[in-house]
Amino acid sequence: MVPKRQVRTVAVYARRSEADEKKGSVPGQLRRCKEFANGEGWTTREFSDDGISGWDTRVRRDGYEQMLAAIRAGEADAVIIDKADRLTRQDEERAEF
Protein backbone atom coordinates (compact mmCIF):
# COMPACT_ATOMS: atom_id res chain seq x y z
CA MET A 1 0.00 0.00 0.00
CA VAL A 2 1.35 3.40 -0.99
CA PRO A 3 1.09 6.00 1.79
CA LYS A 4 -0.96 9.09 1.06
CA ARG A 5 1.05 12.22 0.47
CA GLN A 6 0.60 14.54 3.38
CA VAL A 7 -0.65 18.04 2.61
CA ARG A 8 1.66 20.67 4.04
CA THR A 9 1.43 23.67 1.73
CA VAL A 10 -1.59 24.69 -0.28
CA ALA A 11 -1.97 27.15 -3.11
CA VAL A 12 -4.83 29.53 -2.38
CA TYR A 13 -6.23 31.01 -5.58
CA ALA A 14 -8.80 33.79 -5.99
CA ARG A 15 -10.15 35.51 -9.08
CA ARG A 16 -12.73 38.20 -9.76
CA SER A 17 -13.63 39.61 -13.11
CA GLU A 18 -14.71 43.24 -13.32
CA ALA A 19 -18.19 42.17 -14.38
CA ASP A 20 -18.59 39.72 -11.50
CA GLU A 21 -18.96 41.73 -8.29
CA LYS A 22 -21.34 39.16 -6.76
CA LYS A 23 -18.57 36.55 -6.52
CA GLY A 24 -16.93 38.54 -3.78
CA SER A 25 -13.71 40.44 -3.54
CA VAL A 26 -10.35 38.80 -4.05
CA PRO A 27 -9.30 39.63 -0.46
CA GLY A 28 -12.52 38.07 0.84
CA GLN A 29 -11.99 34.90 -1.19
CA LEU A 30 -8.38 34.64 -0.03
CA ARG A 31 -9.39 35.20 3.60
CA ARG A 32 -12.00 32.40 3.54
CA CYS A 33 -9.59 29.98 1.90
CA LYS A 34 -6.77 30.83 4.29
CA GLU A 35 -9.05 30.42 7.30
CA PHE A 36 -9.89 26.91 6.11
CA ALA A 37 -6.23 26.06 5.45
CA ASN A 38 -5.12 27.43 8.81
CA GLY A 39 -7.76 25.30 10.51
CA GLU A 40 -6.16 22.25 8.89
CA GLY A 41 -2.67 23.38 9.91
CA TRP A 42 -1.52 24.00 6.34
CA THR A 43 0.85 26.69 5.14
CA THR A 44 -0.54 28.81 2.32
CA ARG A 45 0.81 30.47 -0.80
CA GLU A 46 -1.51 33.08 -2.31
CA PHE A 47 -2.19 33.57 -6.00
CA SER A 48 -4.83 35.85 -7.47
CA ASP A 49 -6.12 37.63 -10.52
CA ASP A 50 -8.30 40.66 -9.81
CA GLY A 51 -10.42 42.13 -12.57
CA ILE A 52 -9.56 39.37 -15.06
CA SER A 53 -12.12 37.25 -16.86
CA GLY A 54 -11.96 33.48 -16.80
CA TRP A 55 -13.84 33.30 -20.10
CA ASP A 56 -11.54 35.29 -22.34
CA THR A 57 -8.72 33.00 -23.49
CA ARG A 58 -6.85 35.98 -24.97
CA VAL A 59 -6.25 37.43 -21.52
CA ARG A 60 -3.31 36.07 -19.58
CA ARG A 61 -3.98 35.31 -15.92
CA ASP A 62 -0.58 35.74 -14.32
CA GLY A 63 -1.68 34.56 -10.87
CA TYR A 64 -3.15 31.37 -12.32
CA GLU A 65 0.01 30.71 -14.36
CA GLN A 66 2.22 31.32 -11.31
CA MET A 67 0.08 28.91 -9.28
CA LEU A 68 0.44 26.19 -11.93
CA ALA A 69 4.21 26.72 -12.00
CA ALA A 70 4.36 26.38 -8.19
CA ILE A 71 2.36 23.14 -8.34
CA ARG A 72 4.61 21.73 -11.07
CA ALA A 73 7.67 22.67 -9.01
CA GLY A 74 6.29 20.80 -5.99
CA GLU A 75 5.82 23.99 -3.98
CA ALA A 76 2.16 23.24 -3.23
CA ASP A 77 0.49 19.95 -2.36
CA ALA A 78 -3.09 21.04 -3.04
CA VAL A 79 -5.21 23.99 -4.19
CA ILE A 80 -7.99 25.73 -2.29
CA ILE A 81 -10.52 27.96 -4.05
CA ASP A 82 -13.61 29.72 -2.74
CA LYS A 83 -15.85 28.52 -5.60
CA ALA A 84 -15.10 26.20 -8.52
CA ASP A 85 -15.71 28.83 -11.19
CA ARG A 86 -13.02 31.04 -9.67
CA LEU A 87 -10.34 28.56 -10.78
CA THR A 88 -11.26 28.33 -14.45
CA ARG A 89 -14.18 28.59 -16.85
CA GLN A 90 -12.47 26.98 -19.83
CA ASP A 91 -12.72 23.25 -20.60
CA GLU A 92 -9.12 23.15 -21.84
CA GLU A 93 -7.85 24.73 -18.63
CA ARG A 94 -9.92 22.32 -16.52
CA ALA A 95 -8.50 19.36 -18.42
CA GLU A 96 -4.94 20.64 -17.98
CA PHE A 97 -5.50 21.28 -14.30
Side-chain angles (χ1 to χ4, degrees):
M1 185 169 171
V2 177
K4 279 178 35 178
R5 182 175 176 180
Q6 185 175 4
V7 173
R8 292 189 180 103
T9 303
V10 295
V12 173
Y13 179 73
R15 181 184 63 79
R16 181 193 63 84
S17 66
E18 288 185 15
D20 214 356
E21 293 293 329
K22 66 182 177 283
K23 294 294 182 182
S25 69
V26 165
Q29 291 176 46
L30 292 171
R31 179 184 42 77
R32 288 186 292 277
C33 292
K34 286 173 51 178
E35 285 173 358
F36 177 79
N38 291 338
E40 296 294 323
W42 300 330
T43 301
T44 59
R45 291 200 53 201
E46 292 182 27
F47 303 90
S48 64
D49 292 300
D50 197 355
I52 299 176
S53 172
W55 286 109
D56 191 346
T57 58
R58 298 169 298 171
V59 176
R60 182 176 169 95
R61 293 189 294 146
D62 291 334
Y64 181 79
E65 294 298 325
Q66 291 166 2
M67 178 190 67
L68 291 179
I71 293 167
R72 288 183 186 114
E75 298 169 3
D77 304 307
V79 175
I80 298 177
I81 51 177
D82 192 49
K83 295 193 177 5
D85 66 351
R86 300 300 84 203
L87 184 62
T88 182
R89 290 187 170 226
Q90 297 297 322
D91 290 338
E92 285 182 24
E93 282 183 342
R94 270 191 290 277
E96 177 188 8
F97 186 78

